[in-house]
Amino acid sequence: MADPFEVRMRFTAQLQHLSASITSSQKAAHYALKYRDMDEDLHSCILEQVERNNMNNRANIMYFIEHFCEMATKENHLPYIRMMQRDILRVVDAVVPPDGSGGANVKHVRRVLNGLQSKSILSAETVAEIDAGLKDRETHPAHLDLETEEPDGNGKSKSGTPRGYTVNGMRLDKRQIEQRIEEDRERNKRLRESMWAVSGDDGDEQGRFWDEASDIGEDDFISANEELMERNQMITAR
C-alpha cells in the first residue's frame, strides 16, 4: 500500500512543475487517477498549489484541470468531477484574483471554462456567471506593464526584494516573464494546429478555435518580448 504522505508529496511536485506541455498535465492526471482512493486528499493538493504558486504556474494548473476532468470522466471517477465543480469558483479566484494581479490569466481561464462546458463538466449557466465576474479583472497579456524598482547597492529594490518587474501589480522576475511568453506561444500554437486540423465541414468549430486564438497572435508575443528586452537594456545602462 502506498504511503499517503509520499503520494501527496509526489503529486504536489508534479503540480509545481507543470508546463504548457500536454504531457506534463496528462502525467499528473494519470497519477491522481492511479491513487483515486485518496481523491479528497489529492484534490486538496490542487487547491493548495493553485493558491500558493506564482501566476504562471496557476495558469498551468488551470489547463491541467481541464485535462484531468476529461480523463476522470473517461475513467468514470466522478468524485474528482464533483469536487472540482464544487470548488471551481475558488480555483478561478486563485488564478485570476479579484485584485487584478492575475489579469493576464483571464483569457486562459475563459478557454478552460469553455472547454469544461463543451465536455459537459460545467453548465453553461455556471460558465456565464463566472465569466461575468471576470470582466473587471481582465488585462490583455500583450500590454504587460513592466516596471522596475530602483535597486540598492546589493541588487535589491528599496522594498528589500530581489530586483525584478511589476506586472499588473504582481512582482515577477525576468525568467518568469520569459517563461510565460514561451508557454503562451506554445498554447497558441496548439490552438492554431487544432483549428487547421478541423475539416472543412466543421466551419463553425473552426471559427470558434480562430476566435479563441486570433487575438493573441505572434505579434503580441514579439511585442511583449521586445518590451522586455528594452527594459533589460535600460537596467544594464544604469
Side-chain angles (χ1 to χ4, degrees):
M1 181 178 179
D3 177 65
F5 179 78
E6 182 180 357
V7 171
R8 182 184 178 90
M9 289 299 98
R10 289 189 176 183
F11 185 56
T12 294
Q14 290 180 344
L15 294 175
Q16 291 172 341
H17 293 89
L18 286 172
S19 68
S21 166
I22 294 179
T23 302
S24 68
S25 289
Q26 291 177 336
K27 180 179 179 181
H30 277 300
Y31 189 85
L33 287 167
K34 178 180 179 180
Y35 296 101
R36 64 189 67 190
D37 56 319
M38 297 174 54
D39 51 17
E40 291 188 14
D41 199 25
L42 295 184
H43 177 77
S44 72
C45 287
I46 298 174
L47 298 180
E48 289 173 6
Q49 294 308 307
V50 82
E51 292 175 342
R52 294 180 180 179
N53 281 279
N54 63 52
M55 287 299 167
N56 288 354
N57 187 257
R58 295 182 192 193
N60 290 334
I61 292 176
M62 192 73 198
Y63 280 101
F64 156 77
I65 287 172
E66 181 179 359
H67 293 298
F68 181 38
C69 288
E70 182 177 15
M71 291 174 63
T73 300
K74 290 179 179 178
E75 296 200 17
N76 199 34
H77 190 68
L78 300 184
Y80 274 134
I81 303 298
R82 287 194 291 266
M83 287 185 286
M84 191 55 63
Q85 291 170 332
R86 180 194 67 200
D87 294 325
I88 190 62
L89 185 57
R90 178 177 172 182
V91 171
V92 170
D93 281 342
V95 181
V96 187
D99 62 7
S101 61
N105 283 341
V106 170
K107 182 165 294 292
H108 300 295
V109 168
R110 283 185 172 137
R111 287 179 181 171
V112 171
L113 291 177
N114 289 334
L116 292 174
Q117 179 183 335
S118 69
K119 297 174 176 65
S120 300
I121 294 168
L122 293 179
S123 68
E125 292 76 15
T126 296
V127 172
E129 182 179 351
I130 296 175
D131 184 68
L134 293 176
K135 296 186 184 300
D136 294 335
R137 309 181 192 184
E138 186 170 20
T139 300
H140 197 287
H143 300 144
L144 295 178
D145 180 20
L146 302 182
E147 299 176 353
T148 59
E149 291 188 71
E150 189 69 30
D152 60 18
N154 297 319
K156 291 187 176 182
S157 66
K158 294 177 181 178
S159 63
T161 58
R163 185 171 62 186
Y165 301 88
T166 300
V167 180
N168 300 324
M170 172 186 62
R171 287 192 57 77
L172 291 175
D173 60 29
K174 185 178 77 170
R175 182 191 61 80
Q176 289 176 334
I177 295 173
E178 291 176 338
Q179 177 186 353
R180 179 54 177 269
I181 291 172
E182 288 300 320
E183 291 184 341
D184 283 356
R185 180 182 288 117
E186 175 64 23
R187 292 191 183 100
N188 200 46
K189 177 182 176 183
R190 288 207 307 270
L191 275 174
R192 291 199 304 268
E193 290 173 347
S194 297
M195 178 188 69
W196 293 118
V198 176
S199 68
D201 294 335
D202 296 326
D204 292 341
E205 186 75 3
Q206 181 175 352
R208 182 177 67 81
F209 277 119
W210 178 253
D211 289 341
E212 292 178 353
S214 60
D215 51 359
I216 302 182
E218 197 72 15
D219 290 342
D220 295 325
F221 297 115
I222 293 174
S223 176
N225 202 26
E226 287 176 348
E227 185 173 359
L228 175 60
M229 292 174 64
E230 290 175 3
R231 292 287 182 176
N232 289 341
Q233 292 173 355
M234 291 174 60
I235 295 172
T236 303
R238 292 177 183 175

